[in-house]
Amino acid sequence: MRSKIDPNGRTFTEQARRGQITACAIELVAEIGYPKTSIGKIAELAGVAKSVVLYYFSTKDELVNTLAQEIFSAAVRVMVPAIEAEETAVGKLRAYIRSNGEFIHTHRNHALAMLDMWTSYRSTAGQRLDQVMAAREPLQEDSSALDLAAIFELGQRTGEYRAFAVQPMTIAVRQGIDGAVIQSSRDPGFDVPRYCEELVTIFDLATRR
């Protein structure tokens, strides 16, 4: 009996092997950084031949694209339900920060790997990771709830927020959350949830009327 096949034509066994290789690659990038991560090291950690990794990912560009998609999809699954459960802009922003902190806390390797690739990766064509991801097909998951600018604009329309420039506030929130990842990379015991609670207070005060 043939193994179950996914929409991309992979059998269940192939899906499992690809998932194992992806998990090993995320672990390596988180531990030693993208520049030092090689196909050979991924194969060694996964306990497979280098040719097996190349069967699923013919180039490092393809591998990085897959890792970024996997990490972002994992974050969407944690964050979007929490944000969509809130009806107000204030509630959505608090949920955005807290759920992002939860993801960083429970998926530390994912968060560290994404930060490293975001800052150090360049494709063979010289593109940054954000440029590469922008050109990819949209995720199957609905990630529209993660649009911080939309949350701020909603709050200004409903009168929950004071008038402020949306882009700088969006950047400030993202940089604040990224700070949790940076600190976590330096201190594995860093209390991310507590840090994010302080961010909630900071941005409650920064946006209130």
Side-chain angles (χ1 to χ4, degrees), residues 33-68:
Y34 166 74
K36 294 182 180 179
T37 298
S38 66
I39 298 295
K41 288 180 179 178
I42 295 169
E44 182 179 357
L45 183 60
V48 300
K50 185 176 178 180
S51 59
V52 174
V53 179
L54 290 172
Y55 172 78
Y56 294 99
F57 307 103
S58 58
T59 65
K60 280 193 76 175
D61 281 351
E62 183 181 352
L63 175 64
V64 168
N65 292 342
T66 299
L67 298 188

Side-chain angles (χ1 to χ4, degrees), residues 87-94 150-152 154-156 158 160-161:
E87 295 184 359
T88 66
V90 169
K92 288 180 183 296
L93 179 59
R94 290 172 180 171
I151 293 174
F152 289 135
L154 170 64
Q156 290 179 337
T158 59
E160 297 171 70
Y161 290 153

Side-chain angles (χ1 to χ4, degrees), residues 20-31:
Q20 176 199 14
I21 293 169
T22 299
C24 289
I26 289 173
E27 181 179 341
L28 269 178
V29 175
E31 182 179 345

Side-chain angles (χ1 to χ4, degrees), residues 148-149 152-153 156 164-175:
L148 265 177
F152 289 135
E153 289 164 359
Q156 290 179 337
F164 56 78
V166 168
Q167 185 182 38
M169 192 69 76
T170 299
I171 293 171
V173 173
R174 282 301 334 152
Q175 291 294 318

